[in-house]
DNA sequence: GTCTATAGGCCGATAGAC
DNA sequence: GTCTATCGGCCTATAGAC
């Protein structure tokens, strides 16, 4: 897929995604996005009007990538709780191995700009009455399902958030990190099921 | 402790800490720091020369706050592994309840600026041959100690990283979050010991 | 649609008075 | 040490030619 096959608009979006993700909103210059996209600064404004509007488009895609993909898993009537854990783990590690900067980008930008993600994705309604929540409560009534879910997200996402620290402190190098994450893909479900059965 | 009791230098540092933590390096204006400190922009430069140098001072304090406090716990020859878990959990939740933005600030700024934290705190040397690492390996030889440590840090830190998301999605409100975190202070050690004994 | 050139404002840093 | 005033540069956004 060469860049010449993409529309100008998509080239800009792709470049914006890359640079916003690396440097954050405030740290990004529209000039850099234009250069990365191989076009002129004026053209960027021709397509997206302002830096802010371009950012919102990128953010929307990232939110959906981060939270949208597991909605079908969470809502499925057919799969068991154990299957959901396996599937969600598989899915998330796949996403984060491809997009290692996705979590830190979304978390830090939401922290700074309080963009209204609820209008992008009504995740609260999906989750609160989901099949998944019922299954957790049934399996282990004495455990707040939110603790369970947070534990899952923690153990899955956190290694990617902490990656720069692990590398800076020389606790791992890049290939070791890859291996480490690959191991967790199967270990996290084991730990989660342990919490359910004890 | 009124602000008039602080030296001008400390007033600036305090203001800088607050605003850098909220908006990140790139999103912060030195004018805002000066205003927050109740002094003039010129005076800020008189004390710290540049924005960059001021930031480094703040960052150094944050790194030590985030990683320095648990070094004595990790290295103690006297305490058992179980005690270390309890103490570290207690300590970290105390730090994060007081400084909820600390983790996201440090993680996102290190991601963007690759500041050399190893020179600030030689954490790798401390950790790699620590009593804690030996105790984990002894207790559960088939488990990579790094997985264990990451799990602990994940479950402790992640709720604070995800707080803006939880609130944005209306999954919790502020008092519910406080209660949630308070619960985890005792639950995380329970889960960690579960992983050790299964 | 795409470019060059530039307006217009913001921000970090400094000069210089007190 | 602390202030006011201002410089010089950078960055977003736009005007206008092609």
């Amino acid at each position: 897929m060469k860049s010449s096959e993409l529309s100008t608009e998509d080239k800009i979006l792709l470049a914006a995604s890359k640079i916003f993700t690396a440097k954050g909103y405030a740290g990004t210059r529209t000039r850099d996005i234009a250069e990365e996209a191989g076009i002129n600064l004026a053209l960027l404004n021709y397509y997206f009007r302002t830096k802010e509007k371009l950012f919102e488009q990128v953010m929307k895609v990232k939110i959906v990538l981060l939270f949208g993909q597991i909605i079908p898993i969470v809502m499925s009537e057919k799969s068991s709780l154990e299957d959901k854990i396996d599937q969600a783990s598989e899915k998330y590690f796949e996403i984060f191995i491809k997009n290692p900067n996705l979590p830190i980008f979304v978390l830090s930008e939401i922290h700074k700009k309080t963009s209204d993600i609820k209008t992008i994705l009504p995740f609260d309604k999906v989750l609160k009455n989901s099949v998944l929540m019922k299954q957790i409560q049934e399996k282990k009534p004495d455990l707040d399902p939110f603790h369970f879910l947070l534990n899952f997200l923690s153990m899955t996402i956190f290694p990617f958030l902490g990656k720069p620290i692990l590398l800076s402190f020389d606790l791992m190098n890049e290939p070791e990190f890859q291996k480490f994450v690959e191991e967790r893909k199967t270990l996290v479900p084991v730990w989660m099921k342990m919490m359910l059965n004890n």
Side-chain angles (χ1 to χ4, degrees), chain A:
Chain A
M1 184 160 65
K2 289 193 310 196
S3 69
S4 56
E5 295 169 19
L6 294 171
S7 69
T8 302
E9 194 168 338
D10 285 342
K11 274 194 274 184
I12 296 171
L13 273 174
L14 199 68
S17 173
K18 178 174 171 183
I19 299 194
F20 277 136
T21 304
K23 302 189 177 180
Y25 177 78
T28 292
R29 299 179 309 149
T30 49
R31 278 169 160 77
D32 289 342
I33 296 176
E35 193 190 350
E36 174 76 27
I39 52 104
N40 189 275
L41 173 57
L43 200 52
L44 185 150
N45 284 74
Y46 171 80
Y47 277 101
F48 295 94
R49 293 284 297 159
T50 66
K51 178 187 180 183
E52 181 74 34
K53 284 183 169 53
L54 175 55
F55 178 79
E56 279 166 21
Q57 294 239 19
V58 171
M59 189 52 129
K60 197 170 289 190
V61 172
K62 299 292 177 184
I63 295 278
V64 171
L65 185 58
L66 187 52
F67 297 105
Q69 310 259 84
I70 52 145
I71 289 182
I73 297 173
V74 167
M75 305 218 304
S76 168
E77 305 266 358
K78 291 175 188 165
S79 62
S80 69
L81 177 54
E82 282 77 8
D83 287 345
K84 284 190 176 62
I85 293 171
D86 292 336
Q87 286 166 28
S89 177
E90 181 72 29
K91 190 67 172 174
Y92 263 137
F93 276 104
E94 179 197 322
I95 294 172
F96 295 147
I97 286 168
K98 269 188 213 153
N99 309 275
N101 297 331
L102 174 65
I104 189 73
F105 169 71
V106 173
L107 259 46
S108 73
E109 292 303 320
I110 286 182
H111 169 235
K112 281 172 214 156
K113 307 198 10 140
T114 52
S115 64
D116 196 7
I117 57 177
K118 229 178 44 165
T119 57
I120 298 172
L121 209 73
F123 198 64
D124 53 331
K125 288 170 192 161
V126 170
L127 190 64
K128 279 189 175 163
N129 298 309
S130 67
V131 178
L132 175 63
M133 291 290 271
K134 291 198 193 83
Q135 286 175 325
I136 297 170
Q137 282 170 317
E138 225 167 82
K139 177 79 185 180
K140 199 162 173 62
D142 58 322
L143 175 65
D144 178 349
F146 273 114
H147 282 302
F148 183 77
L149 288 177
L150 251 288
N151 288 351
F152 174 75
L153 289 175
S154 301
M155 296 202 289
T156 308
I157 297 179
F158 189 79
F160 296 94
L161 295 170
K163 182 180 175 186
I165 306 266
L166 292 171
L167 299 192
S168 294
F169 272 142
D170 266 355
L171 295 171
M172 294 183 188
N173 57 35
E174 187 66 43
E176 284 168 346
F177 180 79
Q178 300 297 337
K179 181 169 159 273
F180 186 73
V181 164
E182 204 56 51
E183 286 168 10
R184 290 186 78 82
K185 198 199 285 194
T186 54
L187 285 172
V188 168
V190 171
W191 293 317
M192 294 313 297
K193 289 166 193 171
M194 196 182 288
M195 288 181 199
L196 282 178
N197 293 315
N198 268 57

